[in-house]
Amino acid sequence: MPVRIALDAMGGDFAPGNEVAGAVQALKLVPDDAEIILVGDETALVPLLRASGSPARISVVHAPDVVTMSDEPSSIVKQRKTSSLYVGIDLMREGKADAFVSGGNTGAVMATATMMCGRIQGVSRPTIGSFFPSRGNRPCLLMDIGANVDSKARFLVDFAIMGEIYCKLIQGVERPRVALLNVGEEETKGTEVVQEASAMLRARPINYVGFCEGRDILSGKFDVIVCDGFEGNIVLKFAESVLGFLKDKLKSYAKGSILRGLAMAAVAPMLKAALKDMDYQEYGGVPLLGVNGVVIIGHGSSSPKALANMIRRAVEVVDRDVNGHIRAAMASPTTPTARQA
Amino acid sequence: MPVRIALDAMGGDFAPGNEVAGAVQALKLVPDDAEIILVGDETALVPLLRASGSPARISVVHAPDVVTMSDEPSSIVKQRKTSSLYVGIDLMREGKADAFVSGGNTGAVMATATMMCGRIQGVSRPTIGSFFPSRGNRPCLLMDIGANVDSKARFLVDFAIMGEIYCKLIQGVERPRVALLNVGEEETKGTEVVQEASAMLRARPINYVGFCEGRDILSGKFDVIVCDGFEGNIVLKFAESVLGFLKDKLKSYAKGSILRGLAMAAVAPMLKAALKDMDYQEYGGVPLLGVNGVVIIGHGSSSPKALANMIRRAVEVVDRDVNGHIRAAMASPTTPTARQA
């Protein structure tokens, strides 16, 4: 059966233009029979689609209302049933779409998808991760990055299990190295929660390698780094602010000197190219894992290219049955020994 | 009375050479009557001092043993009584020195000073902060950065009070803007602990401005950002790793192209100069606040210049009576209204 992806066509900052363009681009990235459903205001979407040649595999489902970045996440399910966010997730719940992709309000997507689709059996908390660039040849998945705060140890264990499966099936890492984020590598370091989670993870049939520190996120030594959403969110937002900070520092240094200005102009494209793999748009969004459904979330300012990559990513998550693997892992006994028995 | 600073002359990675050179440099930065006591192996220190012209205001107190970075912090008090770290702190406890400065094992300095000198009355937990560069014209003090994990709300409140006093008296900020690090600025966001701490801080006579996020650390919008040592340590170590990561990315991009290599060579000193204010060595170490004593801690790889700045900083902390102000704040009622009454 062909994979059908519902795209929140009104969610992003440049909606629906970027969303329609992204859907058209995505057709070249996904299998020949995959279908894309644009969810949003049809009076805006239909003309845009027509201008793109009305591709046969892109359809429109009307949803007149738009959830904005300032809307309260928990209010959508009850009060915003004609929004593109609600209608898109509802298509997935009803089996009319296999996945939902949005560049909209992350908290609202997460809350609505969790409430409407429910959790995969055995999952304590759904989670969102984010990819960090690394010194290695692939990015590092940090998770959770803000969906959950005050996480209990078993939540962290579930994040680790789900992150490992995602990394294996989607990033193609054969044996992902999974670590817990902490203030030191020694066994005695850290909070009670990470201590407990570490002990629990050692009993799991995954490649859990122990604690790591903040400096290890970019190191390339780990494929999945697990943490509570509190520190995950703080370090993600800090990281996102660093490049802008550095650019401004360099700019203000170059100002007032023609020579420095010229050197800056020469090096600017170089900086950009060298930092290309710090560009989240390349990663195809971030997954919401643990819900009964496939949800890929992107930045509000996602470009058409980023949205196309998110759609491709959603198809992969469906095709490779990430949720089936999560379901199986959650149902399996906790220790390798027990599993063999 | 002249201020007397005890310097752990064996603590750093380049001890005792950098320490002796730093002490000699410091003489130009501190008041004319200030004295510096080098604590360490006299057979190594005396010849170095002699080679520097045996300055009259620098003396030596012998301590043959050296605490290394891998030593267990809690073991020093009982087992390492002839170490420069123990002997230096002991000089302060006995009133023979007014402050202790070290580029050694941070955890060991913190634990030993707390155990030997005790806490200032009313302080729930001593804390260490660190300075981050900012878009503003002064650095931001993030505290705690690893001394305490699983902090209770009242610990965070004490960190805020002590950080505000330090920022006022040492950084010279008239009315420091104090914020709590969180995953969002909205009042409802975050962990139970930050929620509780925020409510408590609103009742305090300091300029508490509410929650801030990871992206605000470098923004220049806040002078003191308070957090538990768990996330503080993670974000600090992440931040320390970013510059090296960027440099390596640029280098590998420049490799294999003569033009790019030339552009890199042209821009390298520029990068360095532009990022000068990200250099912790300029900030004169970080303070351990809340103990009955003045302790300034620096990086293990501290240069003579960094050590000289740390010594100057220690003199300032003594002269401006930071601990007296902390003592008074801890003894005062909690609300501005109550204080006026």
Side-chain angles (χ1 to χ4, degrees):
Chain A
M1 215 173 97
V3 178
R4 300 149 307 166
I5 307 296
L7 174 64
D8 177 359
M10 315 305 283
D13 300 344
F14 306 106
N18 279 9
E19 275 70 5
V20 173
V24 173
Q25 277 190 33
L27 291 179
K28 292 176 210 134
L29 306 175
V30 296
D32 281 348
D33 60 351
E35 293 168 14
I36 299 168
I37 307 162
L38 295 174
V39 185
D41 183 355
E42 60 186 6
T43 63
L45 294 172
V46 170
L48 282 169
L49 260 187
R50 202 167 292 149
S52 303
S54 303
R57 286 149 58 206
I58 303 182
S59 58
V60 171
V61 166
H62 184 57
D65 186 20
V66 178
V67 171
T68 68
M69 295 297 174
S70 58
D71 282 319
E72 175 55 36
S74 60
S75 70
I76 313 302
V77 167
K78 287 203 170 164
Q79 295 163 24
R80 307 296 289 280
K81 295 195 180 183
T82 62
S83 66
S84 57
L85 201 161
Y86 183 98
V87 172
I89 293 173
D90 202 38
L91 285 174
M92 184 168 67
R93 176 172 63 168
E94 290 184 337
K96 292 175 184 163
D98 303 296
F100 177 70
V101 171
S102 177
N105 181 324
T106 302
V109 173
M110 156 111 196
T112 308
T114 304
M115 283 192 265
M116 289 177 66
C117 304
R119 288 178 248 159
I120 292 174
Q121 184 152 20
V123 172
S124 56
R125 289 289 184 284
T127 178
I128 302 180
S130 186
F131 290 101
F132 280 70
S134 90
R135 286 172 192 268
N137 50 14
R138 51 188 188 236
C140 172
L141 177 60
L142 185 79
M143 101 187 303
D144 183 284
I145 50 108
N148 304 279
V149 300
D150 280 331
S151 292
K152 296 187 194 309
R154 65 194 165 89
F155 302 178
L156 299 183
V157 171
D158 287 354
F159 303 165
I161 292 168
M162 295 191 284
E164 195 246 7
I165 289 170
Y166 190 85
C167 188
K168 214 184 255 178
L169 296 178
I170 301 301
Q171 306 294 113
V173 182
E174 206 175 315
R175 198 156 177 265
R177 296 154 300 175
V178 180
L180 267 176
L181 192 57
N182 198 353
V183 297
E185 289 170 18
E186 304 86 346
E187 292 231 346
T188 54
K189 289 269 176 129
T191 60
E192 283 177 33
V193 168
V194 295
Q195 287 285 328
E196 192 187 341
S198 186
M200 290 165 79
L201 279 169
R202 293 209 182 279
R204 286 281 179 170
I206 64 174
N207 183 23
Y208 171 64
V209 293
F211 294 135
C212 74
E213 301 182 58
R215 68 168 64 96
D216 294 316
I217 295 171
L218 305 174
S219 72
K221 288 185 204 161
F222 307 99
D223 302 299
V224 180
I225 296 181
V226 174
C227 60
D228 178 44
F230 193 74
E231 54 268 16
N233 185 272
I234 287 167
V235 80
L236 174 66
K237 285 178 180 161
F238 178 82
E240 287 176 346
S241 78
V242 170
L243 275 189
F245 173 80
L246 287 177
K247 263 189 220 159
D248 284 3
K249 281 282 165 198
L250 278 173
K251 251 188 222 161
S252 76
Y253 178 76
K255 214 156 60 184
S257 153
I258 293 172
L259 266 180
R260 284 181 193 161
L262 282 174
M264 265 300 283
V267 91
M270 214 168 100
L271 257 172
K272 208 172 164 182
L275 301 178
K276 199 185 157 203
D277 69 345
M278 291 191 72
D279 183 356
Y280 65 92
Q281 305 203 347
E282 299 288 324
Y283 298 146
V286 297
L288 166 60
L289 296 178
V291 295
N292 272 317
V294 171
V295 178
I296 297 288
I297 302 174
H299 215 277
S301 60
S302 290
S303 64
K305 181 186 171 187
L307 286 153
N309 277 327
M310 285 157 64
I311 292 168
R312 174 175 60 175
R313 185 52 51 97
V315 172
E316 290 168 353
V317 174
V318 174
D319 273 345
R320 297 174 195 175
D321 195 21
V322 167
N323 283 356
H325 284 80
I326 291 176
R327 203 166 284 119
M330 291 298 160
S332 80
T334 56
T335 66
T337 320
R339 200 177 49 153
Q340 284 156 14
Chain B
M1 215 173 97
V3 178
R4 300 149 305 166
I5 308 297
L7 173 65
D8 177 359
M10 315 305 283
D13 302 343
F14 307 104
N18 278 9
E19 275 69 6
V20 173
V24 173
Q25 277 191 32
L27 291 179
K28 292 175 208 133
L29 306 175
V30 297
D32 281 347
D33 59 352
E35 293 168 15
I36 299 168
I37 307 162
L38 295 174
V39 186
D41 182 356
E42 61 186 6
T43 62
L45 294 172
V46 170
L48 282 169
L49 261 186
R50 202 167 292 148
S52 303
S54 304
R57 287 148 59 205
I58 302 182
S59 59
V60 171
V61 166
H62 183 58
D65 185 20
V66 178
V67 171
T68 67
M69 295 299 174
S70 58
D71 281 319
E72 174 57 35
S74 60
S75 70
I76 313 302
V77 167
K78 288 203 171 166
Q79 296 163 23
R80 308 296 289 278
K81 295 194 179 182
T82 62
S83 67
S84 57
L85 200 162
Y86 183 98
V87 172
I89 293 173
D90 201 39
L91 286 174
M92 183 169 68
R93 177 172 63 169
E94 290 184 338
K96 293 175 184 163
D98 303 295
F100 177 69
V101 171
S102 176
N105 181 326
T106 303
V109 173
M110 156 112 196
T112 308
T114 305
M115 283 192 265
M116 290 177 66
C117 304
R119 288 178 248 160
I120 292 174
Q121 183 153 21
V123 171
S124 57
R125 290 288 184 286
T127 178
I128 302 180
S130 185
F131 290 102
F132 280 70
S134 90
R135 285 170 192 270
N137 50 14
R138 51 186 188 240
C140 171
L141 177 60
L142 184 79
M143 106 185 296
D144 184 282
I145 49 108
N148 303 279
V149 299
D150 280 331
S151 293
K152 296 186 193 310
R154 65 194 165 88
F155 302 178
L156 298 182
V157 170
D158 287 354
F159 302 165
I161 292 168
M162 294 191 284
E164 193 243 20
I165 288 169
Y166 191 86
C167 188
K168 215 183 251 176
L169 296 178
I170 302 301
Q171 306 293 113
V173 182
E174 206 173 316
R175 198 157 176 264
R177 297 154 301 175
V178 180
L180 266 176
L181 192 57
N182 198 353
V183 297
E185 289 170 16
E186 304 86 345
E187 292 231 346
T188 55
K189 289 267 176 127
T191 60
E192 283 176 33
V193 167
V194 296
Q195 287 285 329
E196 192 188 342
S198 186
M200 290 165 80
L201 279 169
R202 294 211 181 278
R204 286 282 179 169
I206 64 173
N207 184 23
Y208 170 65
V209 293
F211 293 135
C212 73
E213 302 182 58
R215 67 168 66 93
D216 294 316
I217 295 171
L218 305 173
S219 72
K221 290 184 201 162
F222 307 99
D223 302 299
V224 180
I225 295 182
V226 174
C227 60
D228 178 44
F230 194 73
E231 53 268 15
N233 185 273
I234 286 167
V235 80
L236 174 66
K237 285 180 180 160
F238 178 82
E240 287 176 345
S241 77
V242 170
L243 275 189
F245 173 79
L246 287 177
K247 263 189 222 159
D248 284 1
K249 283 280 166 201
L250 278 173
K251 250 188 223 161
S252 77
Y253 178 76
K255 213 156 60 180
S257 154
I258 293 171
L259 268 179
R260 285 180 191 163
L262 282 173
M264 265 300 284
V267 91
M270 215 168 100
L271 255 171
K272 206 170 166 184
L275 301 178
K276 200 185 157 204
D277 68 346
M278 292 191 71
D279 184 356
Y280 67 93
Q281 305 203 349
E282 300 288 323
Y283 299 146
V286 297
L288 166 60
L289 297 177
V291 294
N292 272 318
V294 171
V295 179
I296 298 289
I297 301 173
H299 213 277
S301 59
S302 291
S303 64
K305 181 185 171 189
L307 286 153
N309 276 328
M310 286 158 63
I311 292 167
R312 173 175 59 176
R313 184 54 50 97
V315 172
E316 290 168 353
V317 174
V318 174
D319 273 346
R320 297 172 195 175
D321 195 19
V322 167
N323 282 356
H325 284 80
I326 291 176
R327 203 166 284 119
M330 291 297 159
S332 81
T334 56
T335 67
T337 321
R339 201 176 49 152
Q340 283 155 16

